[in-house]
Amino acid sequence: MIKSNNSYSELPEAFFKEIMPSSAISPELLAFNSQLAKELQLDLEKSTPSELAKLFSGLDLFPNSKPIALAYAGHQFGNFVPQLGDGRAVLLGEVISIEGERFDIQLKGSGQTPFSRRGDGRSSLGPVIREYIVSEAMNALGVPTTRALAAVTTGEMVFREEELPGGIFTRVASSHLRIGTFQYFAARQDITNLKILADYAIERHYPDSTYLSFFEKVCHNQARLIAHWMSIGFIHGVMNTDNMSISGETIDYGPCAFMDIFKADQVYSFIDRQGRYAYNNQIQIAQWNLTRLAECLIPLIDDDSQEAIKKLEAVLATLPTIFENEWLKKMRLKLGLLDEMEEDGPLIVDFLNDLQVRGQDFTNSFRNLSSQLEQKDAFPILMRWRERVRSQSLSTQEIIDHLDATNPANIPRNHLIEKAIQLGLTGDYTLFNRLNEVYQSPFTIQSGCEDLQKPPEVHEIIQNTFCGT
Ligand code: AMP
Ligand code: MG
Protein backbone atom coordinates (compact mmCIF):
# COMPACT_ATOMS: atom_id res chain seq x y z
CA MET A 1 0.00 0.00 0.00
CA ILE A 2 1.26 3.45 -0.80
CA LYS A 3 1.88 5.00 2.57
CA SER A 4 2.62 8.51 1.60
CA ASN A 5 1.24 11.88 0.88
CA ASN A 6 2.33 11.89 -2.79
CA SER A 7 4.32 15.05 -2.39
CA TYR A 8 4.85 15.71 -6.10
CA SER A 9 1.16 15.81 -6.92
CA GLU A 10 0.78 18.48 -4.26
CA LEU A 11 3.06 20.82 -6.20
CA PRO A 12 1.41 23.47 -8.43
CA GLU A 13 -0.52 22.38 -11.51
CA ALA A 14 2.24 23.38 -13.88
CA PHE A 15 4.40 20.46 -12.67
CA PHE A 16 2.27 17.58 -14.00
CA LYS A 17 -0.94 16.38 -15.58
CA GLU A 18 -3.27 13.91 -13.92
CA ILE A 19 -3.63 10.84 -16.10
CA MET A 20 -4.89 7.31 -15.70
CA PRO A 21 -2.71 4.52 -17.12
CA SER A 22 -4.51 2.97 -20.11
CA SER A 23 -5.60 -0.50 -19.29
CA ALA A 24 -3.72 -3.42 -20.74
CA ILE A 25 -5.92 -6.14 -22.26
CA SER A 26 -4.53 -9.21 -20.53
CA PRO A 27 -1.41 -8.43 -18.54
CA GLU A 28 0.86 -11.24 -17.41
CA LEU A 29 3.54 -11.01 -14.79
CA LEU A 30 7.05 -11.47 -16.12
CA ALA A 31 9.06 -10.48 -13.09
CA PHE A 32 8.44 -9.14 -9.63
CA ASN A 33 11.15 -7.93 -7.29
CA SER A 34 9.71 -9.13 -4.00
CA GLN A 35 12.78 -8.13 -2.02
CA LEU A 36 12.49 -4.53 -3.21
CA ALA A 37 8.74 -4.57 -2.59
CA LYS A 38 9.46 -5.54 1.02
CA GLU A 39 12.01 -2.76 1.41
CA LEU A 40 9.37 -0.36 0.12
CA GLN A 41 6.79 -1.73 2.57
CA LEU A 42 4.39 -2.43 -0.28
CA ASP A 43 2.63 -5.25 1.55
CA LEU A 44 2.30 -7.50 -1.50
CA GLU A 45 3.52 -10.78 0.03
CA LYS A 46 0.13 -12.40 -0.35
CA SER A 47 -0.68 -11.09 -3.82
CA THR A 48 -1.04 -13.65 -6.60
CA PRO A 49 0.80 -13.26 -9.91
CA SER A 50 -2.41 -12.22 -11.59
CA GLU A 51 -3.09 -9.57 -8.94
CA LEU A 52 0.45 -8.29 -9.35
CA ALA A 53 0.06 -8.22 -13.12
CA LYS A 54 -3.04 -6.03 -12.75
CA LEU A 55 -1.24 -3.71 -10.35
CA PHE A 56 1.88 -3.35 -12.48
CA SER A 57 -0.02 -2.76 -15.70
CA GLY A 58 -2.22 -0.03 -14.26
CA LEU A 59 -5.40 -2.11 -14.46
CA ASP A 60 -5.68 -1.94 -10.67
CA LEU A 61 -4.36 0.99 -8.71
CA PHE A 62 -2.61 1.03 -5.35
CA PRO A 63 -4.82 2.56 -2.67
CA ASN A 64 -4.07 6.29 -2.38
CA SER A 65 -2.39 6.33 -5.75
CA LYS A 66 -2.89 9.54 -7.74
CA PRO A 67 -1.37 8.91 -11.19
CA ILE A 68 0.34 11.83 -12.88
CA ALA A 69 2.61 12.46 -15.87
CA LEU A 70 5.46 14.86 -15.08
CA ALA A 71 6.38 17.91 -17.11
CA TYR A 72 10.00 18.45 -18.14
CA ALA A 73 12.09 19.85 -20.95
CA GLY A 74 15.55 18.85 -22.12
CA HIS A 75 18.46 19.09 -24.48
CA GLN A 76 18.31 16.07 -26.77
CA PHE A 77 21.66 15.58 -28.48
CA GLY A 78 22.40 19.26 -27.87
CA ASN A 79 19.08 20.60 -29.16
CA PHE A 80 16.74 22.20 -26.68
CA VAL A 81 13.16 20.91 -26.60
CA PRO A 82 11.08 23.12 -24.27
CA GLN A 83 8.48 20.43 -23.66
CA LEU A 84 9.19 16.71 -23.37
CA GLY A 85 7.54 15.26 -20.27
CA ASP A 86 6.40 11.75 -19.41
CA GLY A 87 5.12 10.64 -22.79
CA ARG A 88 4.93 6.96 -21.95
CA ALA A 89 5.29 6.96 -18.19
CA VAL A 90 2.91 7.49 -15.30
CA LEU A 91 3.95 8.20 -11.75
CA LEU A 92 1.63 6.12 -9.57
CA GLY A 93 2.72 7.70 -6.34
CA GLU A 94 5.38 7.73 -3.65
CA VAL A 95 6.23 5.32 -0.89
CA ILE A 96 8.40 5.48 2.20
CA SER A 97 10.87 2.62 2.57
CA ILE A 98 11.75 0.75 5.74
CA GLU A 99 14.77 3.03 5.93
CA GLY A 100 12.48 6.04 5.92
CA GLU A 101 13.40 7.16 2.43
CA ARG A 102 10.91 8.38 -0.14
CA PHE A 103 10.65 6.67 -3.53
CA ASP A 104 8.60 7.18 -6.69
CA ILE A 105 6.81 4.25 -8.29
CA GLN A 106 6.32 4.71 -11.99
CA LEU A 107 4.86 2.65 -14.82
CA LYS A 108 6.73 2.91 -18.09
CA GLY A 109 4.84 1.95 -21.25
CA SER A 110 1.30 2.24 -19.90
CA GLY A 111 -0.13 4.37 -22.68
CA GLN A 112 -0.46 7.90 -23.94
CA THR A 113 -0.32 11.00 -21.75
CA PRO A 114 -0.71 14.70 -22.55
CA PHE A 115 3.09 14.66 -23.19
CA SER A 116 3.09 11.84 -25.74
CA ARG A 117 3.41 14.11 -28.80
CA ARG A 118 3.32 11.66 -31.71
CA GLY A 119 4.24 8.61 -29.62
CA ASP A 120 1.91 5.77 -28.66
CA GLY A 121 2.95 5.86 -25.00
CA ARG A 122 3.73 2.16 -25.15
CA SER A 123 6.82 0.07 -24.84
CA SER A 124 7.76 -3.12 -26.58
CA LEU A 125 8.97 -6.06 -24.52
CA GLY A 126 12.64 -5.70 -25.49
CA PRO A 127 13.36 -2.42 -23.68
CA VAL A 128 11.43 -3.71 -20.64
CA ILE A 129 13.65 -6.78 -20.42
CA ARG A 130 16.78 -4.69 -20.96
CA GLU A 131 15.93 -2.13 -18.29
CA TYR A 132 14.97 -4.83 -15.79
CA ILE A 133 18.25 -6.71 -16.19
CA VAL A 134 20.56 -3.72 -16.38
CA SER A 135 19.09 -1.60 -13.59
CA GLU A 136 19.15 -4.48 -11.10
CA ALA A 137 22.68 -5.43 -12.19
CA MET A 138 23.80 -1.83 -11.69
CA ASN A 139 22.33 -1.86 -8.20
CA ALA A 140 24.19 -5.06 -7.34
CA LEU A 141 27.37 -3.48 -8.70
CA GLY A 142 26.87 -0.68 -6.19
CA VAL A 143 26.05 2.02 -8.74
CA PRO A 144 23.35 4.53 -7.75
CA THR A 145 20.42 3.69 -9.98
CA THR A 146 16.69 3.53 -10.39
CA ARG A 147 15.38 0.04 -9.62
CA ALA A 148 13.19 -2.56 -11.26
CA LEU A 149 10.10 -3.49 -9.25
CA ALA A 150 8.15 -5.42 -11.85
CA ALA A 151 7.71 -6.22 -15.53
CA VAL A 152 4.59 -7.40 -17.32
CA THR A 153 3.54 -8.27 -20.84
CA THR A 154 0.39 -6.44 -21.88
CA GLY A 155 -1.16 -8.96 -24.24
CA GLU A 156 -1.16 -6.24 -26.90
CA MET A 157 1.10 -5.68 -29.84
CA VAL A 158 2.96 -2.44 -30.45
CA PHE A 159 4.05 -1.19 -33.84
CA ARG A 160 7.67 -0.23 -34.33
CA GLU A 161 9.63 -1.25 -37.42
CA GLU A 162 7.78 -4.49 -36.90
CA GLU A 163 4.94 -5.69 -34.74
CA LEU A 164 6.18 -6.59 -31.25
CA PRO A 165 4.62 -7.74 -27.99
CA GLY A 166 4.02 -4.87 -25.58
CA GLY A 167 5.39 -4.64 -22.05
CA ILE A 168 5.23 -2.36 -19.03
CA PHE A 169 8.16 -1.75 -16.72
CA THR A 170 7.73 -0.57 -13.13
CA ARG A 171 10.51 1.75 -12.13
CA VAL A 172 11.43 2.86 -8.63
CA ALA A 173 13.43 6.05 -8.31
CA SER A 174 14.42 8.24 -5.40
CA SER A 175 12.72 10.89 -7.52
CA HIS A 176 12.16 11.74 -11.17
CA LEU A 177 13.63 15.22 -10.89
CA ARG A 178 15.95 15.85 -13.81
CA ILE A 179 18.03 18.70 -15.11
CA GLY A 180 15.25 18.95 -17.70
CA THR A 181 12.67 19.67 -14.97
CA PHE A 182 14.62 22.82 -14.09
CA GLN A 183 14.92 23.70 -17.76
CA TYR A 184 11.15 23.40 -18.16
CA PHE A 185 10.49 26.31 -15.80
CA ALA A 186 13.62 28.30 -16.62
CA ALA A 187 12.74 28.28 -20.34
CA ARG A 188 9.32 29.71 -19.47
CA GLN A 189 10.93 32.29 -17.17
CA ASP A 190 8.56 30.97 -14.53
CA ILE A 191 10.71 31.96 -11.56
CA THR A 192 7.99 31.27 -9.01
CA ASN A 193 7.75 27.60 -9.98
CA LEU A 194 11.49 27.35 -10.53
CA LYS A 195 11.98 28.35 -6.91
CA ILE A 196 9.30 25.90 -5.75
CA LEU A 197 11.08 23.17 -7.71
CA ALA A 198 14.49 24.01 -6.26
CA ASP A 199 13.08 24.11 -2.72
CA TYR A 200 11.40 20.77 -3.31
CA ALA A 201 14.59 19.20 -4.73
CA ILE A 202 16.61 20.51 -1.79
CA GLU A 203 14.16 19.20 0.77
CA ARG A 204 13.94 15.80 -0.92
CA HIS A 205 17.59 15.20 -1.76
CA TYR A 206 19.92 17.79 -0.25
CA PRO A 207 18.33 19.05 2.97
CA ASP A 208 19.60 22.31 4.42
CA SER A 209 21.42 23.39 1.26
CA THR A 210 21.54 26.87 -0.15
CA TYR A 211 20.82 27.08 -3.89
CA LEU A 212 24.52 27.31 -4.57
CA SER A 213 25.51 24.40 -2.34
CA PHE A 214 22.62 22.41 -3.84
CA PHE A 215 24.25 22.91 -7.22
CA GLU A 216 27.65 21.89 -5.85
CA LYS A 217 26.19 18.70 -4.40
CA VAL A 218 24.41 17.78 -7.62
CA CYS A 219 27.75 18.25 -9.41
CA HIS A 220 29.55 16.02 -6.92
CA ASN A 221 26.99 13.25 -7.23
CA GLN A 222 27.13 13.40 -11.00
CA ALA A 223 30.93 13.22 -10.93
CA ARG A 224 30.85 10.18 -8.67
CA LEU A 225 28.21 8.55 -10.84
CA ILE A 226 30.01 9.04 -14.13
CA ALA A 227 33.27 7.81 -12.60
CA HIS A 228 31.43 4.72 -11.43
CA TRP A 229 30.05 4.12 -14.93
CA MET A 230 33.48 4.46 -16.47
CA SER A 231 34.98 2.08 -13.94
CA ILE A 232 32.67 -0.73 -15.06
CA GLY A 233 32.76 0.04 -18.77
CA PHE A 234 29.19 1.34 -18.83
CA ILE A 235 27.99 3.56 -21.65
CA HIS A 236 24.68 5.27 -20.92
CA GLY A 237 24.10 6.12 -24.54
CA VAL A 238 21.61 8.95 -24.21
CA MET A 239 22.86 11.49 -21.69
CA ASN A 240 20.33 14.13 -22.66
CA THR A 241 19.58 16.65 -19.90
CA ASP A 242 16.16 15.07 -19.39
CA ASN A 243 17.89 11.79 -18.59
CA MET A 244 20.18 13.20 -15.90
CA SER A 245 18.73 12.78 -12.45
CA ILE A 246 19.13 15.48 -9.78
CA SER A 247 19.60 12.79 -7.12
CA GLY A 248 22.65 11.35 -8.88
CA GLU A 249 21.06 8.03 -9.85
CA THR A 250 21.46 6.40 -13.23
CA ILE A 251 18.16 6.87 -15.00
CA ASP A 252 16.69 5.90 -18.37
CA TYR A 253 18.23 2.71 -19.62
CA GLY A 254 17.68 3.04 -23.33
CA PRO A 255 20.47 2.21 -25.74
CA CYS A 256 22.93 1.63 -22.91
CA ALA A 257 25.62 -1.04 -22.99
CA PHE A 258 28.62 -2.46 -21.18
CA MET A 259 31.77 -2.58 -23.25
CA ASP A 260 33.33 -5.89 -24.11
CA ILE A 261 36.64 -5.09 -25.84
CA PHE A 262 38.02 -1.82 -24.52
CA LYS A 263 37.77 1.04 -26.97
CA ALA A 264 37.90 4.53 -25.49
CA ASP A 265 35.55 6.10 -28.01
CA GLN A 266 33.09 3.20 -28.10
CA VAL A 267 29.50 4.06 -29.06
CA TYR A 268 26.63 1.58 -29.30
CA SER A 269 23.54 3.72 -29.62
CA PHE A 270 22.25 3.60 -33.16
CA ILE A 271 21.00 7.18 -33.00
CA ASP A 272 24.28 8.61 -31.65
CA ARG A 273 25.89 9.08 -35.04
CA GLN A 274 28.35 11.75 -33.88
CA GLY A 275 29.56 9.81 -30.84
CA ARG A 276 28.33 12.58 -28.55
CA TYR A 277 27.74 10.04 -25.79
CA ALA A 278 30.77 7.84 -26.44
CA TYR A 279 32.40 6.09 -23.45
CA ASN A 280 35.21 8.61 -23.04
CA ASN A 281 33.00 11.62 -23.71
CA GLN A 282 30.74 11.00 -20.74
CA ILE A 283 32.72 13.19 -18.35
CA GLN A 284 32.64 16.19 -20.71
CA ILE A 285 28.95 15.69 -21.45
CA ALA A 286 28.04 15.49 -17.78
CA GLN A 287 29.81 18.84 -17.28
CA TRP A 288 27.99 20.29 -20.26
CA ASN A 289 24.68 19.14 -18.77
CA LEU A 290 25.57 20.64 -15.38
CA THR A 291 26.34 23.93 -17.09
CA ARG A 292 22.78 23.86 -18.44
CA LEU A 293 21.54 23.32 -14.87
CA ALA A 294 23.68 26.24 -13.68
CA GLU A 295 22.03 28.48 -16.28
CA CYS A 296 18.62 27.59 -14.88
CA LEU A 297 19.66 28.50 -11.35
CA ILE A 298 20.89 32.03 -12.10
CA PRO A 299 17.70 33.80 -10.94
CA LEU A 300 17.77 31.91 -7.63
CA ILE A 301 21.40 32.48 -6.73
CA ASP A 302 21.48 36.28 -6.65
CA ASP A 303 19.16 39.16 -7.56
CA ASP A 304 22.07 40.59 -9.52
CA SER A 305 22.46 38.13 -12.39
CA GLN A 306 26.11 39.10 -12.97
CA GLU A 307 26.86 38.20 -9.37
CA ALA A 308 24.93 34.93 -9.75
CA ILE A 309 26.86 34.02 -12.88
CA LYS A 310 30.15 34.73 -11.10
CA LYS A 311 29.23 32.39 -8.25
CA LEU A 312 28.06 29.62 -10.55
CA GLU A 313 31.08 29.99 -12.79
CA ALA A 314 33.32 29.58 -9.78
CA VAL A 315 31.71 26.20 -9.13
CA LEU A 316 31.79 25.22 -12.80
CA ALA A 317 35.51 26.00 -12.89
CA THR A 318 36.10 23.31 -10.28
CA LEU A 319 34.28 20.59 -12.22
CA PRO A 320 37.16 19.27 -14.33
CA THR A 321 39.20 18.65 -11.19
CA ILE A 322 36.27 17.11 -9.30
CA PHE A 323 35.49 14.77 -12.18
CA GLU A 324 39.15 13.86 -12.65
CA ASN A 325 39.54 13.10 -8.95
CA GLU A 326 36.45 10.91 -8.81
CA TRP A 327 37.63 9.03 -11.88
CA LEU A 328 41.10 8.57 -10.40
CA LYS A 329 39.61 7.32 -7.14
CA LYS A 330 37.56 4.66 -8.88
CA MET A 331 40.27 3.57 -11.30
CA ARG A 332 42.92 3.35 -8.56
CA LEU A 333 40.70 0.93 -6.69
CA LYS A 334 40.35 -1.21 -9.81
CA LEU A 335 44.10 -1.60 -9.89
CA GLY A 336 44.24 -2.47 -6.21
CA LEU A 337 45.76 0.85 -5.21
CA LEU A 338 44.52 1.94 -1.82
CA ASP A 339 47.03 4.72 -1.35
CA GLU A 340 47.72 7.57 -3.76
CA MET A 341 50.82 8.34 -5.78
CA GLU A 342 51.49 10.89 -8.50
CA GLU A 343 52.33 8.15 -10.98
CA ASP A 344 48.88 6.53 -10.71
CA GLY A 345 47.18 8.71 -13.31
CA PRO A 346 49.68 7.88 -16.06
CA LEU A 347 49.69 4.21 -15.01
CA ILE A 348 45.89 4.00 -15.39
CA VAL A 349 45.97 5.77 -18.76
CA ASP A 350 48.74 3.49 -20.03
CA PHE A 351 46.96 0.44 -18.70
CA LEU A 352 43.81 1.34 -20.61
CA ASN A 353 45.79 2.19 -23.75
CA ASP A 354 47.41 -1.18 -23.56
CA LEU A 355 44.00 -2.88 -23.34
CA GLN A 356 42.89 -0.95 -26.39
CA VAL A 357 45.99 -1.72 -28.44
CA ARG A 358 45.77 -5.42 -27.60
CA GLY A 359 41.99 -5.51 -28.10
CA GLN A 360 41.33 -6.92 -24.65
CA ASP A 361 38.03 -7.40 -22.86
CA PHE A 362 37.55 -4.60 -20.30
CA THR A 363 35.76 -6.55 -17.56
CA ASN A 364 37.83 -9.73 -17.75
CA SER A 365 41.15 -7.90 -17.93
CA PHE A 366 40.50 -6.20 -14.61
CA ARG A 367 38.95 -9.30 -13.07
CA ASN A 368 42.01 -11.35 -14.02
CA LEU A 369 44.41 -8.97 -12.28
CA SER A 370 44.14 -10.84 -9.00
CA SER A 371 45.51 -13.99 -10.66
CA GLN A 372 48.30 -12.04 -12.33
CA LEU A 373 49.66 -10.63 -9.11
CA GLU A 374 52.17 -13.41 -8.55
CA GLN A 375 53.03 -14.26 -12.12
CA LYS A 376 56.51 -13.37 -13.29
CA ASP A 377 56.34 -13.28 -17.05
CA ALA A 378 54.19 -10.57 -18.48
CA PHE A 379 53.77 -7.46 -20.50
CA PRO A 380 55.67 -4.34 -19.51
CA ILE A 381 52.49 -2.64 -18.31
CA LEU A 382 51.74 -5.54 -15.95
CA MET A 383 55.25 -5.44 -14.56
CA ARG A 384 54.85 -1.73 -13.90
CA TRP A 385 51.49 -2.34 -12.24
CA ARG A 386 52.87 -5.17 -10.09
CA GLU A 387 55.69 -3.04 -8.84
CA ARG A 388 53.28 -0.24 -7.92
CA VAL A 389 50.68 -2.44 -6.27
CA ARG A 390 53.41 -4.24 -4.30
CA SER A 391 54.80 -0.94 -3.03
CA GLN A 392 51.86 -0.82 -0.59
CA SER A 393 52.07 -2.34 2.83
CA LEU A 394 49.41 -4.93 2.09
CA SER A 395 49.66 -8.69 2.00
CA THR A 396 49.14 -10.56 -1.26
CA GLN A 397 45.85 -11.90 0.04
CA GLU A 398 44.65 -8.45 1.00
CA ILE A 399 45.39 -7.17 -2.49
CA ILE A 400 43.68 -10.15 -4.11
CA ASP A 401 40.60 -9.78 -1.91
CA HIS A 402 40.42 -6.12 -2.67
CA LEU A 403 40.78 -6.61 -6.43
CA ASP A 404 38.10 -9.29 -6.54
CA ALA A 405 35.70 -7.19 -4.50
CA THR A 406 36.19 -4.25 -6.85
CA ASN A 407 36.32 -5.83 -10.30
CA PRO A 408 33.15 -7.70 -11.21
CA ALA A 409 33.21 -11.11 -12.89
CA ASN A 410 29.71 -10.80 -14.30
CA ILE A 411 28.28 -7.74 -16.00
CA PRO A 412 25.22 -7.71 -18.27
CA ARG A 413 26.91 -8.18 -21.59
CA ASN A 414 25.05 -6.85 -24.56
CA HIS A 415 24.90 -10.07 -26.53
CA LEU A 416 23.43 -11.89 -23.53
CA ILE A 417 20.76 -9.25 -23.00
CA GLU A 418 19.97 -9.47 -26.69
CA LYS A 419 19.63 -13.25 -26.43
CA ALA A 420 17.38 -12.91 -23.38
CA ILE A 421 15.22 -10.47 -25.36
CA GLN A 422 15.01 -12.70 -28.43
CA LEU A 423 14.05 -15.69 -26.27
CA GLY A 424 11.58 -13.53 -24.34
CA LEU A 425 9.86 -12.59 -27.58
CA THR A 426 9.14 -16.28 -28.09
CA GLY A 427 7.77 -16.58 -24.54
CA ASP A 428 10.89 -18.20 -23.11
CA TYR A 429 12.11 -16.29 -20.05
CA THR A 430 14.67 -18.80 -18.76
CA LEU A 431 17.69 -16.71 -19.78
CA PHE A 432 16.05 -13.50 -18.51
CA ASN A 433 15.56 -15.15 -15.12
CA ARG A 434 18.99 -16.71 -15.10
CA LEU A 435 20.72 -13.40 -15.86
CA ASN A 436 18.76 -11.61 -13.15
CA GLU A 437 19.87 -14.26 -10.68
CA VAL A 438 23.55 -14.24 -11.66
CA TYR A 439 23.85 -10.45 -11.77
CA GLN A 440 22.75 -10.21 -8.18
CA SER A 441 26.24 -11.35 -7.16
CA PRO A 442 28.49 -9.77 -9.77
CA PHE A 443 31.70 -10.10 -7.76
CA THR A 444 31.37 -13.83 -7.12
CA ILE A 445 32.59 -16.48 -9.54
CA GLN A 446 29.56 -18.71 -9.85
CA SER A 447 29.92 -22.27 -10.96
CA GLY A 448 28.08 -23.13 -14.13
CA CYS A 449 28.22 -19.52 -15.28
CA GLU A 450 31.48 -19.59 -17.22
CA ASP A 451 29.54 -19.05 -20.44
CA LEU A 452 28.23 -15.73 -19.13
CA GLN A 453 31.71 -14.40 -18.39
CA LYS A 454 32.97 -14.92 -21.89
CA PRO A 455 33.06 -12.01 -24.30
CA PRO A 456 30.89 -12.49 -27.39
CA GLU A 457 32.11 -14.59 -30.29
CA VAL A 458 32.56 -12.57 -33.46
CA HIS A 459 29.13 -13.54 -34.76
CA GLU A 460 27.51 -12.61 -31.42
CA ILE A 461 28.86 -9.05 -31.22
CA ILE A 462 26.11 -6.44 -31.08
CA GLN A 463 27.12 -3.33 -33.01
CA ASN A 464 24.14 -1.12 -32.21
CA THR A 465 21.66 -0.65 -29.40
CA PHE A 466 18.26 0.97 -29.78
CA CYS A 467 16.00 2.99 -27.49
CA GLY A 468 13.12 0.93 -28.74
CA THR A 469 10.77 3.88 -28.38
P1 AMP B 1 13.84 8.95 -23.79
O1 AMP B 1 14.66 8.98 -25.01
O2 AMP B 1 13.37 7.58 -23.41
O3 AMP B 1 14.45 9.67 -22.65
O4 AMP B 1 12.48 9.73 -24.15
C1 AMP B 1 12.51 11.05 -24.61
C2 AMP B 1 11.10 11.63 -24.66
O5 AMP B 1 10.31 10.88 -25.60
C3 AMP B 1 10.34 11.58 -23.36
O6 AMP B 1 9.55 12.75 -23.27
C4 AMP B 1 9.50 10.35 -23.50
O7 AMP B 1 8.35 10.41 -22.68
C5 AMP B 1 9.13 10.41 -24.96
N1 AMP B 1 8.80 9.07 -25.49
C6 AMP B 1 9.64 8.04 -25.70
N2 AMP B 1 8.99 6.96 -26.18
C7 AMP B 1 7.69 7.31 -26.29
C8 AMP B 1 6.51 6.67 -26.73
N3 AMP B 1 6.53 5.38 -27.15
N4 AMP B 1 5.36 7.36 -26.70
C9 AMP B 1 5.31 8.61 -26.27
N5 AMP B 1 6.37 9.30 -25.85
C10 AMP B 1 7.56 8.66 -25.85
MG1 MG C 1 14.05 10.00 -20.78
Side-chain angles (χ1 to χ4, degrees):
M1 192 178 79
I2 300 223
K3 291 178 193 154
S4 88
N5 42 12
N6 291 336
S7 62
Y8 209 83
S9 64
E10 280 162 20
L11 292 171
E13 262 177 72
F15 283 72
F16 58 85
K17 296 258 193 280
E18 287 187 39
I19 175 81
M20 289 305 266
S22 356
S23 40
I25 300 176
S26 51
E28 276 184 50
L29 191 70
L30 207 69
F32 172 58
N33 191 340
S34 57
Q35 180 58 38
L36 180 59
K38 258 187 230 140
E39 286 165 33
L40 297 176
Q41 313 191 79
L42 288 179
D43 201 12
L44 296 172
E45 279 91 346
K46 297 199 186 75
S47 304
T48 63
S50 100
E51 285 167 344
L52 292 172
K54 283 187 191 146
L55 209 48
F56 295 116
S57 61
L59 263 184
D60 284 352
L61 287 183
F62 286 94
N64 306 335
S65 154
K66 189 178 165 196
I68 54 175
L70 311 194
Y72 54 85
H75 273 92
Q76 296 189 306
F77 291 90
N79 303 308
F80 186 62
V81 184
Q83 178 160 313
L84 288 167
D86 286 338
R88 58 163 164 178
V90 171
L91 176 62
L92 293 178
E94 297 156 28
V95 287
I96 308 296
S97 72
I98 294 176
E99 309 274 320
E101 288 174 68
R102 182 181 294 273
F103 287 94
D104 282 2
I105 298 188
Q106 188 202 58
L107 298 183
K108 219 173 145 183
S110 60
Q112 282 177 323
T113 77
F115 301 107
S116 294
R117 292 171 294 160
R118 288 186 301 275
D120 61 2
R122 312 234 169 234
S123 180
S124 62
L125 188 54
V128 171
I129 289 179
R130 175 179 291 269
E131 178 152 6
Y132 200 104
I133 296 173
V134 183
S135 57
E136 285 307 293
M138 290 285 268
N139 179 63
L141 286 161
V143 184
T145 177
T146 60
R147 302 286 306 273
L149 180 60
V152 301
T153 51
T154 59
E156 287 159 59
M157 301 303 276
V158 297
F159 301 91
R160 298 293 181 256
E161 255 98 74
E162 52 191 319
E163 209 184 24
L164 293 163
I168 297 175
F169 177 76
T170 305
R171 172 158 80 183
V172 172
S174 69
S175 86
H176 283 86
L177 297 170
R178 314 136 191 274
I179 292 181
T181 319
F182 284 81
Q183 290 181 295
Y184 183 82
F185 294 111
R188 285 163 180 72
Q189 298 186 324
D190 181 348
I191 310 304
T192 309
N193 280 323
L194 183 70
K195 187 169 178 313
I196 291 172
L197 172 63
D199 291 343
Y200 180 84
I202 288 172
E203 193 184 331
R204 189 154 171 181
H205 296 298
Y206 305 96
D208 303 321
S209 304
T210 63
Y211 295 126
L212 193 64
S213 69
F214 159 71
F215 178 60
E216 285 173 322
K217 289 171 194 171
V218 173
C219 289
H220 254 112
N221 279 353
Q222 276 292 313
R224 261 194 295 273
L225 180 68
I226 309 299
H228 215 146
W229 289 356
M230 311 266 302
S231 76
I232 51 173
F234 179 76
I235 303 168
H236 182 282
V238 58
M239 290 174 70
N240 293 332
T241 54
D242 55 305
N243 294 336
M244 293 291 104
S245 152
I246 293 297
S247 72
E249 283 172 347
T250 314
I251 191 167
D252 256 19
Y253 293 91
C256 61
F258 282 76
M259 262 196 293
D260 297 302
I261 288 174
F262 181 73
K263 187 166 158 272
D265 59 358
Q266 181 70 59
V267 178
Y268 288 104
S269 170
F270 183 70
I271 51 172
D272 191 4
R273 294 297 170 88
Q274 314 283 326
R276 180 181 172 88
Y277 302 137
Y279 173 79
N280 63 353
N281 223 19
Q282 298 187 108
I283 286 182
Q284 275 75 20
I285 284 292
Q287 293 180 38
W288 190 90
N289 289 339
L290 289 165
T291 308
R292 304 288 81 77
L293 176 61
E295 287 162 0
C296 296
L297 298 177
I298 293 170
L300 305 181
I301 299 285
D302 201 302
D303 291 337
D304 177 347
S305 65
Q306 288 313 311
E307 271 307 304
I309 290 170
K310 242 191 247 166
K311 289 177 190 167
L312 286 161
E313 277 180 343
V315 178
L316 290 171
T318 64
L319 292 193
T321 311
I322 291 173
F323 274 75
E324 163 93 10
N325 285 343
E326 292 299 334
W327 179 82
L328 264 175
K329 229 188 260 176
K330 276 276 178 286
M331 296 308 291
R332 266 200 186 100
L333 292 177
K334 283 187 79 69
L335 290 181
L337 307 178
L338 305 188
D339 60 6
E340 295 177 16
M341 308 249 290
E342 278 294 328
E343 70 201 60
D344 297 344
L347 175 64
I348 295 162
V349 170
D350 291 345
F351 188 91
L352 291 173
N353 273 338
D354 185 75
L355 289 187
Q356 174 149 330
V357 170
R358 294 191 295 119
Q360 294 296 301
D361 184 82
F362 181 84
T363 302
N364 291 350
S365 298
F366 280 100
R367 180 66 191 198
N368 292 340
L369 281 178
S370 58
S371 63
Q372 309 253 350
L373 198 57
E374 298 203 280
Q375 281 177 18
K376 294 266 171 325
D377 58 315
F379 301 94
I381 190 72
L382 283 181
M383 290 160 69
R384 209 171 121 198
W385 165 70
R386 232 175 259 131
E387 202 173 301
R388 167 69 183 94
V389 83
R390 287 281 189 209
S391 72
Q392 309 176 101
S393 50
L394 295 170
S395 72
T396 300
Q397 197 54 47
E398 280 170 327
I399 298 173
I400 288 174
D401 289 347
H402 169 76
L403 284 167
D404 286 347
T406 310
N407 295 310
N410 280 298
I411 45 106
R413 292 183 186 271
N414 224 353
H415 68 293
L416 297 172
I417 296 173
E418 192 53 39
K419 257 185 215 163
I421 291 173
Q422 291 311 322
L423 285 169
L425 292 176
T426 70
D428 177 352
Y429 303 114
T430 44
L431 184 56
F432 171 63
N433 291 328
R434 180 175 176 225
L435 293 181
N436 283 327
E437 177 77 31
V438 170
Y439 297 148
Q440 275 181 40
S441 316
F443 299 101
T444 314
I445 301 276
Q446 302 170 51
S447 65
C449 292
E450 295 73 12
D451 57 326
L452 305 183
Q453 274 176 258
K454 280 199 215 127
E457 304 281 345
V458 175
H459 69 277
E460 293 176 311
I461 293 174
I462 309 283
Q463 304 292 356
N464 288 128
T465 51
F466 299 87
C467 287
T469 55

